[in-house]
């Protein structure tokens, strides 16, 4: 849901900026978007969002359940989870992009 919302908001704000800064009519902008964006692009956006969400959840759960004993391990495990999540999101994005394009 967030991916769809952010995609629509990015299109809206791009259209607004194009209108005020470059005098591009909203109808022309939307016609260009409709002619360029395919159903596969929308599917790929949703697919990548689901893969990212699942990978972040799994990585954070792994590091969260790895904390044992001391409470000082929690910040360390949180750091590992954030770094791992960002790293694997970049790797997954690169793999999907190479496979598709």
């Amino acid at each position: 849901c967030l991916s769809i919302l952010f995609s629509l908001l990015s299109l809206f704000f791009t259209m607004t900026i194009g209108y005020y800064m470059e005098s591009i009519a909203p109808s022309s902008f939307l016609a260009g978007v409709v002619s360029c964006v395919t159903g596969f692009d929308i599917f790929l956006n949703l697919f990548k969002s689901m893969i990212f969400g699942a990978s972040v959840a799994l990585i954070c759960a792994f590091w969260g359940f790895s904390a044992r004993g001391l409470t000082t391990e929690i910040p360390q495990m949180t750091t590992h989870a954030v770094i791992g999540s960002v790293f694997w999101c970049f790797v997954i994005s690169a793999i999907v992009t190479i496979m598709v394009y």
Side-chain angles (χ1 to χ4, degrees):
C1 288
L2 284 175
S3 177
I4 293 169
L5 177 67
F6 290 148
S7 295
L8 292 175
L9 284 174
S10 68
L11 286 174
F12 173 74
F13 286 114
T14 303
M15 181 176 61
T16 304
I17 291 170
Y19 177 73
Y20 286 112
M21 295 188 78
E22 298 294 327
S23 299
I24 299 172
S27 59
S28 297
F29 178 82
L30 292 176
V33 169
V34 169
S35 69
C36 292
V37 175
T38 64
F40 182 72
D41 293 326
I42 296 169
F43 168 76
L44 189 62
N45 184 12
L46 296 174
F47 177 73
K48 284 174 75 172
S49 298
M50 289 187 292
I51 296 296
F52 291 155
S55 65
V56 167
L58 289 172
I59 291 167
C60 291
F62 170 77
W63 285 110
F65 287 126
S66 295
R68 303 271 184 228
L70 302 174
T71 57
T72 57
E73 289 183 2
I74 294 172
Q76 294 170 355
M77 296 302 135
T78 303
T79 302
H80 288 300
V82 169
I83 292 170
S85 296
V86 170
F87 172 77
W88 283 108
C89 281
F90 279 119
V91 170
I92 292 168
S93 180
I95 290 170
V96 170
T97 302
I98 289 170
M99 288 174 50
V100 171
Y101 298 109

